[in-house]
Amino acid sequence: MENANDAYSREYTETQVLSCLLQGPYCPRSLSSAPIQPLVQLDFTNGSLVNSGPVVFNFSSQEWAPNLTTGKDGDANGGLNFDTNNRYYSSAAGQDASLPLGSSPRTLCAWIKPSQLPANNSHQLVFRYGNTTTANASVLALSTSSGNKVSFLGFGYDALADYTIPLNTWSHICSSYSGGNTVSIYVNGNFIASPAFAGSGPLNTTSGAFVIGTWTGSGGLAYYWWGDSDDMRVYDIALNSVQIAQIYRLGAAF
């Protein structure tokens, strides 16, 4: 507050509070232009699948729905649990069309609590969106290839950063892409690396579906997630290190 009389008469949203933090020691009286509203923010509070961002998803599963479990904030039924190879959620086709496509900037973040890591030369997908028929998707994942990785997959055009996520512990991971041939990877608010993409590019995400916990859903290449997940986000900008650190700190404060 700029002076003793600056008491606000309404509750701020998380985005507005974060905007204050990013603007320095003083919070402006008008926060109508908060710069980092996510397009996707799935918190799963009380088992809800409603996105608090502006994109509408209708989730279902052709196999088994994930279990509800304690979320990263300690809230009952506030997170998703995946304990077999058949649990996932998928939106209806085309509902990801408002998310960043082509090679436009984006940031993907989630809180994860894996119960196991991928086998060598494999992946476990936290979430993804895009078209998997033509492999034009954007994927937040863990991978194992000559060591454990946190990864942003374009599938066939992938960026993998060396890092071993601990098992059975909540960790916050983000991948920030501003264009070009690298992605910046963050774990628990800390910058890890900016690995270059390897494979056949460039990145060209096309609309498909928003999917939690698997690559394809029923049938085909699966790469199922094992463990818990919470607070999944997609931004249409490449967040910087300060912004990602603040998102992590706000989440960890719970």
Side-chain angles (χ1 to χ4, degrees), residues 105-166:
R106 70 206 66 176
T107 303
L108 281 59
C109 298
W111 283 86
I112 60 170
K113 185 182 178 183
S115 59
Q116 64 184 48
L117 296 177
N120 194 35
N121 295 318
S122 186
H123 313 278
Q124 289 182 10
L125 273 61
V126 183
F127 71 83
R128 61 91 172 160
Y129 70 91
N131 190 325
T132 58
T133 302
T134 55
N136 293 332
S138 289
V139 184
L140 186 64
L142 299 184
S143 305
T144 303
S145 176
S146 301
N148 296 316
K149 319 285 185 179
V150 176
S151 51
F152 176 92
L153 309 178
F155 255 82
Y157 194 60
D158 306 333
L160 287 73
D162 290 317
Y163 195 91
T164 301
I165 293 289

Side-chain angles (χ1 to χ4, degrees), residues 124-213:
Q124 289 182 10
L125 273 61
V126 183
F127 71 83
R128 61 91 172 160
Y129 70 91
N131 190 325
T132 58
T133 302
T134 55
N136 293 332
S138 289
V139 184
L140 186 64
L142 299 184
S143 305
T144 303
S145 176
S146 301
N148 296 316
K149 319 285 185 179
V150 176
S151 51
F152 176 92
L153 309 178
F155 255 82
Y157 194 60
D158 306 333
L160 287 73
D162 290 317
Y163 195 91
T164 301
I165 293 289
L167 297 180
N168 303 311
T169 300
W170 284 110
S171 298
H172 185 249
I173 61 173
C174 285
S175 61
S176 180
Y177 174 70
S178 60
N181 62 355
T182 65
V183 174
S184 294
I185 303 292
Y186 298 80
V187 177
N188 293 336
N190 297 309
F191 172 75
I192 300 302
S194 289
F197 284 100
S200 178
L203 185 69
N204 183 28
T205 305
T206 58
S207 177
F210 191 98
V211 179
I212 299 169

Side-chain angles (χ1 to χ4, degrees), residues 4-251:
N5 295 320
D6 283 341
Y8 293 92
S9 60
R10 59 187 174 88
E11 182 180 9
Y12 276 2
T13 65
E14 178 183 341
T15 298
Q16 291 170 321
V17 172
L18 185 55
S19 179
C20 286
L21 292 173
L22 296 178
Q23 293 183 46
Y26 301 123
C27 186
R29 292 178 175 83
S30 174
L31 289 174
S32 59
S33 58
I36 56 168
Q37 173 69 42
L39 297 177
V40 176
Q41 184 173 351
L42 293 164
D43 292 322
F44 309 114
T45 303
N46 296 319
S48 173
L49 297 176
V50 174
N51 174 27
S52 61
V55 182
V56 176
F57 297 127
N58 296 313
F59 286 111
S60 62
S61 176
Q62 294 174 311
E63 295 179 279
W64 294 348
N67 301 306
L68 294 179
T69 190
T70 302
K72 60 94 178 170
D73 299 333
D75 52 331
N77 297 327
L80 301 182
N81 168 261
F82 303 76
D83 60 1
T84 76
N85 275 338
N86 305 96
R87 298 194 186 279
Y88 71 92
Y89 280 125
S90 176
S91 79
Q95 290 187 331
D96 63 345
S98 298
L99 301 183
L101 301 177
S103 59
S104 58
R106 70 206 66 176
T107 303
L108 281 59
C109 298
W111 283 86
I112 60 170
K113 185 182 178 183
S115 59
Q116 64 184 48
L117 296 177
N120 194 35
N121 295 318
S122 186
H123 313 278
Q124 289 182 10
L125 273 61
V126 183
F127 71 83
R128 61 91 172 160
Y129 70 91
N131 190 325
T132 58
T133 302
T134 55
N136 293 332
S138 289
V139 184
L140 186 64
L142 299 184
S143 305
T144 303
S145 176
S146 301
N148 296 316
K149 319 285 185 179
V150 176
S151 51
F152 176 92
L153 309 178
F155 255 82
Y157 194 60
D158 306 333
L160 287 73
D162 290 317
Y163 195 91
T164 301
I165 293 289
L167 297 180
N168 303 311
T169 300
W170 284 110
S171 298
H172 185 249
I173 61 173
C174 285
S175 61
S176 180
Y177 174 70
S178 60
N181 62 355
T182 65
V183 174
S184 294
I185 303 292
Y186 298 80
V187 177
N188 293 336
N190 297 309
F191 172 75
I192 300 302
S194 289
F197 284 100
S200 178
L203 185 69
N204 183 28
T205 305
T206 58
S207 177
F210 191 98
V211 179
I212 299 169
T214 186
W215 168 243
T216 59
S218 181
L221 190 64
Y223 293 146
Y224 291 104
W225 178 251
W226 279 79
D228 300 344
S229 56
D230 196 0
D231 195 3
M232 300 175 181
R233 304 189 184 199
V234 178
Y235 296 83
D236 61 356
I237 60 173
L239 296 180
N240 62 36
S241 60
V242 173
Q243 292 168 320
I244 289 175
Q246 293 289 7
I247 291 169
Y248 163 70
R249 288 169 188 155
L250 281 175

